[in-house]
Amino acid sequence: MSQPQPQPHTLGNARPGTTPPGTVSSPSPEPPAAPASPAPARRGLAWWQAIPAGAAAATAVNLLVLLIGTAAGASFRLPDGDSVHEVTAGGVVFSSTVPLAVGTGLAVLLALWKPVFLRIGQIAPARWARPRSPARSPPTPTAAPRWPWP
């Protein structure tokens, strides 16, 4: 009598040369290696998504302020010499969106071109906003200046 041949398994680790082509042998006794840890997921938006999202959020907030002011009966008419300037929704949208998108886009492009601009952008505004010490500020006049003419 012939002994029954073991049937090859379709799952497991293959051992070269021990199984017929197209089949896989039974699993090896070693445990499988742990899968490599996945790359950490990136949080937040990419720069090309963040710029329009920020502009849209600023526009929405400013339009909300305009809506609340209009509902409260506030006048958004500003005298300018002989004429009167009225604040409209279109002006709010333009004034909220364009400067933010252009300024942020320019800052991002400069930072992508030369990363040193990131550090300059972190330091320069804080330096400009720092109050001047009294020793460095210009002197305040104590008396009215004397003009050379009468």
Side-chain angles (χ1 to χ4, degrees):
M1 274 178 105
S2 70
Q3 292 185 346
Q5 299 241 344
Q7 295 292 325
H9 298 283
T10 57
L11 298 174
N13 298 330
R15 293 184 195 139
T18 59
T19 57
T23 61
V24 179
S25 67
S26 62
S28 63
E30 300 98 24
S37 62
R42 185 170 178 194
R43 296 175 53 173
L45 299 173
W47 66 268
W48 57 271
Q49 295 169 326
I51 293 173
T59 302
V61 169
N62 290 338
L63 284 174
L64 181 65
V65 169
L66 180 68
L67 178 69
I68 291 171
T70 304
S75 172
F76 288 101
R77 303 183 89 200
L78 307 169
D80 184 22
D82 295 342
S83 63
V84 175
H85 176 74
E86 187 170 350
V87 177
T88 61
V92 169
V93 169
F94 184 81
S95 298
S96 300
T97 306
V98 174
L100 181 65
V102 170
T104 308
L106 182 62
V108 167
L109 291 176
L110 283 173
L112 290 173
W113 178 50
K114 298 277 186 182
V116 71
F117 285 112
L118 290 174
R119 180 58 66 187
I120 293 170
Q122 291 170 342
I123 295 171
R127 180 76 176 156
W128 293 329
R130 191 185 79 196
R132 296 176 58 112
S133 66
R136 294 183 56 201
S137 61
T140 56
T142 56
R146 294 182 51 158
W147 301 102
W149 56 87

